[in-house]
Amino acid sequence: MKNQKSLALSLLEWHGGQGSSLYAVGSCMLSTAERGEKYNPVNIRGHLDALPLAIRELKGMKAGARYPENVNQDECDKLAKRLQKYLPR
């Protein structure tokens, strides 16, 4: 759960507001970690759609940023790669 909580907190550092998919995934992942549960997008309404969108948000973070010089795209790409492990196969 510690790794899941750490990932969730890292995601929440990059979200674009409460309406973003990245916020939805990060906040639900954090909530499940704090309850001692593993995040599974299949068990959370809308997350089969939100998870790929959150990954896309991370991969395009620098391109879509108002201040791209403040975006560490390498870090966002690493987070996107970590999130891909949660996609159902």
Side-chain angles (χ1 to χ4, degrees):
M1 291 306 117
K2 186 177 179 183
N3 288 337
Q4 181 177 308
K5 185 174 181 177
S6 174
L7 174 57
L9 291 170
S10 295
L11 296 175
L12 291 172
E13 290 179 16
W14 292 103
H15 76 83
Q18 287 184 328
S20 74
S21 296
L22 196 50
Y23 180 86
V25 171
S27 62
C28 284
M29 186 179 283
L30 180 60
S31 174
T32 56
E34 289 185 342
R35 291 191 313 263
E37 300 171 10
K38 184 178 178 191
Y39 172 76
N40 185 345
V42 174
N43 297 334
I44 302 170
R45 178 184 282 170
H47 278 244
L48 288 177
D49 294 326
L51 187 57
L53 292 174
I55 292 167
R56 191 175 318 147
E57 282 180 49
L58 286 165
K59 288 182 176 182
M61 189 65 67
K62 191 168 193 115
R66 184 169 286 154
Y67 300 102
E69 63 274 9
N70 294 330
V71 174
N72 181 337
Q73 189 60 55
D74 289 338
E75 182 180 341
C76 291
D77 291 341
K78 288 176 186 174
L79 289 171
K81 189 173 182 175
R82 287 178 66 190
L83 266 187
Q84 287 177 327
K85 295 176 183 175
Y86 289 92
L87 288 170
R89 301 196 190 263

